[in-house]
Amino acid sequence: NNNNNIQCLPLMAYGELLGIVVLEGDVVNDPQESLEIEGSRRFALEQVGLSIGNLKLRESLRQASIRDVLTGLYNRRFFDESSQREVLRAQRQQSKGDYDGLALMMIDIDHFKRFNDQHGHEVGDVVLREVAQVLQSQTRGSDVAARFGGEEFTIVLADITDQLALERAERVRKAVEDLVLRPSGKDVGSITISIGLAQFPKHGTSVEALLLAADKALYEAKNSGRNRVVVAT
């Protein structure tokens, strides 16, 4: 249509291309009016671009505050907040008699210090990232997988029965055991994890109690041969 004018304009913010905006309108014959319309369009695009850029920046900063830099999992701070929230929700749901349960896993990479000393910190970082990726892939959107510190991780499983939580823990353990790691092309052997599993309300009705129970179970898993899941008692 000869009466239509179509423009493809870049949507920019802070030097980054966010997208392309396609504008369609009637052809304006008056040069002065055409310049005014063009100026208004570009100003509007700049404002939209800056708004989207600010939203992306805000989200980026938020993610940086709740994510562990090395592994991409949630950090300890986010775990503390979210686990408290989940346990409070579990208590409310339990009082209504309509709740499957909640579970907390404490996870530790077996012989990680020895592995780190033998192969170096760079390879150790690769191991941490690979294990973290497995934990992420084995969790649902409602779960929280976090790096607890060092080579320790934790997962909070919401709305899950005791049996399903145990099956999930075994699946996580097996998935790590099946990892094939060849950083820089060299075979560094197999990696395994030990898991302590605590369940709400059987092993505790607070985050602190569940952590303590899961930690004791993890200690038992380590002492009884590693590469296994032990349920709290």
Side-chain angles (χ1 to χ4, degrees):
N1 188 338
N2 292 333
N3 291 324
N4 283 352
N5 177 29
I6 297 177
Q7 285 182 306
C8 295
L9 301 173
L11 190 61
M12 305 284 294
Y14 306 115
E16 180 188 359
L17 179 64
L18 302 174
I20 301 292
V21 177
V22 179
L23 298 175
E24 182 178 356
D26 294 333
V27 174
V28 177
N29 294 319
D30 184 342
Q32 182 61 35
E33 188 179 349
S34 180
L35 280 173
E36 289 174 1
I37 291 172
E38 183 67 18
S40 298
R41 281 178 177 173
R42 293 199 176 276
F43 177 74
L45 280 174
E46 284 174 11
Q47 295 307 304
V48 170
L50 285 171
S51 296
I52 294 174
N54 285 336
L55 287 172
K56 286 185 70 175
L57 181 62
R58 204 175 304 162
E59 176 61 17
S60 175
L61 290 171
R62 191 184 78 86
Q63 287 296 323
S65 72
I66 64 174
R67 294 279 179 183
D68 174 60
V69 176
L70 178 63
T71 64
L73 294 179
Y74 289 115
N75 58 23
R76 177 70 182 271
R77 173 188 165 193
F78 184 83
F79 163 78
D80 288 340
E81 293 174 0
S82 58
S83 58
Q84 293 285 357
R85 190 166 56 244
E86 283 301 328
V87 167
L88 287 173
R89 189 169 75 89
Q91 291 170 349
R92 287 197 304 271
Q93 295 295 100
Q94 186 194 26
S95 67
K96 297 176 186 175
D98 179 30
Y99 193 63
D100 283 332
L102 178 143
L104 188 149
M105 286 188 231
M106 285 296 295
I107 301 162
D108 189 84
I109 300 176
D110 295 328
H111 299 299
F112 184 74
K113 186 179 185 308
R114 191 172 71 191
F115 183 91
N116 224 12
D117 292 343
Q118 185 178 347
H119 297 287
H121 289 289
E122 284 187 11
V123 175
D125 286 351
V126 171
V127 171
L128 288 171
R129 281 194 292 266
E130 290 288 336
V131 170
Q133 197 169 345
V134 169
L135 302 189
Q136 192 73 62
S137 68
Q138 293 293 328
T139 50
R140 307 161 298 174
S142 58
D143 302 330
V144 174
R147 187 180 181 193
F148 200 70
E151 68 272 23
E152 267 196 328
F153 302 89
T154 185
I155 301 177
V156 176
L157 304 165
D159 296 295
I160 194 166
T161 63
D162 291 355
Q163 183 57 39
L164 281 176
L166 178 56
E167 288 173 13
R168 184 74 62 80
E170 282 290 354
R171 204 159 68 204
V172 168
R173 183 202 62 77
K174 182 70 167 59
V176 171
E177 187 182 30
D178 290 343
L179 273 175
V180 178
L181 294 174
R182 298 185 189 278
S184 305
K186 66 177 180 178
D187 190 350
V188 296
S190 62
I191 301 297
T192 62
I193 56 174
S194 298
I195 301 176
L197 179 66
Q199 296 155 335
F200 173 95
K202 189 188 301 182
H203 306 125
T205 54
S206 68
V207 174
E208 292 74 23
L210 288 169
L211 277 172
L212 186 62
D215 202 49
K216 283 182 178 177
L218 174 61
Y219 184 78
E220 188 182 332
K222 291 283 194 185
N223 279 352
S224 56
R226 295 179 168 81
N227 189 24
R228 64 193 61 208
V229 178
V230 171
V231 180
T233 56

